[in-house]
Amino acid sequence: MIDKFLVPTASFNVKRSSQTFFINTPYTSIASSHIVIMVVELDTTLAELYANNGLPGPIVVDLYRTYTHIDLHDNFPRERMFVEDEDPSTYCSEEEDLPRFKKWALNSRTIRHLPMVGPADVILYLPYNSRDNIDRALDQFPKHQRPMVKYVDLDSPCMAKDRRMAIKDKKLVYWRPKSWMVGEDCSVPPERSYMLNDKRFLIHPEIPTPSLEMVSLLHEDQRDYLVKLQLPFGVKFCRCSSGQGTYIATTEEERRQMLEAVRRYRERGGVDIQVSEFVGSRKPHYGVNFFVGRDESLQPCFLGATEQVVAKNGVWVGGVIDYQAQGDLERRLRNTIAVVARTLQQYSYVGWIGIDVIFDSDDRPLVVDLNARIAAGIGIVLFSKHFMSMGLPFAGMETVSFTGPASGIYAALSASIESGKVIVTLSAEVTDTESVASVVFGGRTRDDLNAVADWIRDVLRTCLN
């Protein structure tokens, strides 16, 4: 285990837009075991939201997802009932990537949302999760907001029995439905959750969306429709997330790439796709987070709207939030949120909701995606009081990779972590030499926020690589 890290001296010359920012960090040797971490209090927690919205009993939370084309473990096999439409090559393009992917899926992809659960039981699996990494992440939050982790050993012959004991006499809240949940006491039956998160459900008469239609891939004339349809337009596979399976065709080259993806999708068993009009907007693409209670008399609880950050291939990679703009955004989105909430309550849904919204040329909010589950925005919308109290009205979140053990990031960014300007909501090893961390950070302005993001990447590259 590496015990010490050198925090670079000198200034990092970080270029953004037409301005240059200089962030000075003192050159010091820091013992990782002596790092002081500021206690960060969340605005609220998932457990508190459930308790206040019609689910007062004890809950146990499952933050995992399964994959349709990959067995993560003998006791965590691929999903055959609640299948998803992901392209396996997106995750593991080479056979040697598979061990890294399995470890990532069973630890860092899971615990990035763990601190925001709050005082409730959470199932985590051994041997993929390190107790030290979990404790280090949770130690940043006050005791009354920390989840109670229930470890289940995937290598144990009693794994299924141990999991049943962990959920006994509790209401099961989960991120993604899985076969083993059928018949359990769930906050939302897994069959219903599966239906609500299908792109087909978005074509609901009460939800304000762009013009949408479902196109069958079973008939050649329907497939030819995509070849002849006038540009631009959008295509989405029915059961994908994080921007995967989404294609915006504005050029013939983008159409060609989309058609190739649709071909692979059809070979994997895809039957339908969603085709939508293209909505151009100069405003940000927002991820709107709110909580829907069981009782229709309860108003949906607005939690925050983040500006989505996506890579060139359309995959979601992070988000930015302007805490000062949330009041105005809530007023502009209130009717849209209410309509979506009423629609889901008709199906007895209770829980976190994330909708993707675009404002059209007439400034109307249109829903382009609906996630009736814990959404990625949970990783940033619950920190408003913390960052605003420090005079940092902007915040961002990113996933970063670096060389060395998971603890290395705490030493490399120690001064910013101690001050509360940077929060590491997870850090975990994915190979013997590589770790991944989810980082939330604040900024005085957008440019300042961009500079901090560049600085974090630069520090991790120069200190730990």
Side-chain angles (χ1 to χ4, degrees):
M1 178 68 70
I2 298 174
D3 184 54
K4 292 186 176 182
F5 300 87
L6 291 181
V7 179
T9 106
S11 305
F12 289 103
N13 192 340
V14 182
K15 291 188 178 293
R16 274 285 180 181
S17 303
S18 60
Q19 302 183 48
T20 302
F21 300 86
F22 294 91
I23 304 173
N24 295 300
T25 306
Y27 188 87
T28 51
S29 178
I30 301 172
S32 59
S33 60
H34 297 117
I35 294 173
V36 178
I37 299 176
M38 172 182 271
V39 176
V40 176
E41 185 152 1
L42 297 162
D43 298 351
T44 185
T45 64
L46 196 65
E48 183 179 357
L49 288 165
Y50 274 104
N52 293 339
N53 287 274
L55 210 66
I59 66 172
V60 57
V61 182
D62 177 286
L63 293 170
Y64 289 86
R65 68 169 291 182
T66 48
Y67 295 84
T68 301
H69 308 284
I70 298 171
D71 294 318
L72 296 181
H73 188 277
D74 288 345
N75 281 327
F76 211 115
R78 68 191 65 191
E79 184 57 46
R80 301 183 186 279
M81 180 178 295
F82 303 116
V83 299
E84 298 193 18
D85 296 330
E86 76 279 358
D87 188 336
S89 64
T90 302
Y91 301 102
C92 297
S93 56
E94 303 291 342
E95 187 65 28
E96 56 265 27
D97 292 341
L98 191 56
R100 180 188 185 278
F101 172 77
K102 289 181 177 181
K103 193 167 184 179
W104 170 80
L106 286 167
N107 65 19
S108 58
R109 184 166 176 80
T110 301
I111 64 173
R112 62 179 178 168
H113 297 328
L114 176 63
M116 283 66 80
V117 168
D121 287 353
V122 181
I123 300 172
L124 293 184
Y125 291 104
L126 299 173
Y128 291 90
N129 283 293
S130 158
R131 295 175 188 264
D132 287 344
N133 290 343
I134 301 300
D135 291 343
R136 189 181 296 111
L138 297 183
D139 281 348
Q140 298 171 104
F141 300 88
K143 289 184 178 180
H144 71 274
Q145 287 192 328
R146 294 178 196 170
M148 288 73 75
V149 177
K150 305 297 180 183
Y151 290 100
V152 175
D153 189 348
L154 282 176
D155 292 335
S156 169
C158 301
M159 189 281 295
K161 179 181 177 181
D162 293 342
R163 184 171 60 195
R164 285 196 300 272
M165 290 301 297
I167 67 175
K168 182 178 172 60
D169 299 326
K170 301 180 183 71
K171 186 74 71 172
L172 179 60
V173 173
Y174 53 87
W175 183 30
R176 305 285 183 126
K178 290 174 275 295
S179 303
W180 67 265
M181 296 174 178
V182 174
E184 300 294 347
D185 184 13
C186 298
S187 58
V188 178
E191 300 90 343
R192 188 173 304 153
S193 172
Y194 190 59
M195 179 267 290
L196 295 176
N197 285 287
D198 191 306
K199 297 296 186 290
R200 299 175 184 90
F201 181 77
L202 193 58
I203 305 181
H204 192 287
E206 295 183 27
I207 299 176
T209 67
S211 296
L212 302 175
E213 61 177 325
M214 298 305 301
V215 173
S216 172
L217 301 178
L218 297 179
H219 306 290
E220 187 174 352
D221 60 336
Q222 290 287 294
R223 298 197 295 271
D224 288 345
Y225 174 74
L226 298 175
V227 177
K228 301 173 182 177
L229 186 61
Q230 183 176 348
L231 299 172
F233 60 90
V235 167
K236 288 188 178 184
F237 301 164
C238 290
R239 299 187 184 278
C240 283
S241 60
S242 300
Q244 296 180 36
T246 297
Y247 299 89
I248 305 299
T250 62
T251 66
E252 289 301 333
E253 173 57 22
E254 290 175 340
R255 188 202 299 267
R256 186 195 66 77
Q257 294 173 5
M258 176 272 297
L259 290 171
E260 173 60 21
V262 168
R263 181 191 64 77
R264 295 196 305 270
Y265 172 57
R266 191 173 73 252
E267 289 177 352
R268 296 196 305 273
V271 174
D272 298 318
I273 57 172
Q274 181 199 94
V275 179
S276 70
E277 68 169 314
F278 175 80
V279 180
S281 177
R282 295 184 179 181
K283 292 184 173 64
H285 177 175
Y286 287 101
V288 183
N289 298 268
F290 56 99
F291 198 93
V292 174
R294 186 178 298 280
D295 189 342
E296 292 187 24
S297 66
L298 293 172
Q299 294 296 315
C301 177
F302 174 78
L303 296 164
T306 67
E307 299 173 21
Q308 306 283 55
V309 179
V310 297
K312 290 182 178 179
N313 61 359
V315 174
W316 182 91
V317 294
V320 170
I321 190 167
D322 178 356
Y323 294 121
Q324 297 177 117
Q326 296 305 300
D328 178 60
L329 285 168
E330 180 180 8
R331 286 188 292 273
R332 296 171 65 192
L333 293 164
R334 186 173 295 152
N335 291 338
T336 303
I337 290 171
V339 167
V340 174
R342 284 197 305 271
T343 302
L344 292 172
Q345 284 173 328
Q346 293 171 12
Y347 296 88
S348 300
Y349 182 84
V350 56
W352 193 288
I353 299 291
I355 56 174
D356 291 353
V357 170
I358 291 179
F359 286 91
D360 67 9
S361 57
D362 295 321
D363 209 34
R364 295 176 303 175
L366 300 176
V367 180
V368 296
D369 207 355
L370 190 161
N371 299 305
R373 58 175 177 252
I374 302 169
I378 194 173
I380 193 171
V381 300
L382 303 181
F383 292 92
S384 66
K385 293 178 183 177
H386 171 75
F387 283 120
M388 288 293 285
S389 71
M390 302 177 66
L392 304 173
F394 293 89
M397 59 179 173
E398 288 193 8
T399 299
V400 293
S401 300
F402 54 94
T403 301
S407 59
I409 191 171
Y410 292 92
L413 304 177
S414 62
S416 294
I417 292 173
E418 290 174 23
S419 70
K421 294 179 180 178
V422 171
I423 303 163
V424 180
T425 60
L426 78 86
S427 187
E429 293 86 3
V430 290
T431 70
D432 292 340
T433 59
E434 180 192 4
S435 295
V436 172
S438 180
V439 183
V440 180
F441 47 93
R444 295 183 303 276
T445 64
R446 289 180 183 274
D447 286 336
D448 181 40
L449 192 71
N450 291 334
V452 173
D454 285 344
W455 172 76
I456 290 171
R457 289 189 291 267
D458 204 356
V459 169
L460 296 178
R461 182 174 62 251
T462 56
C463 282
L464 304 181
N465 287 353

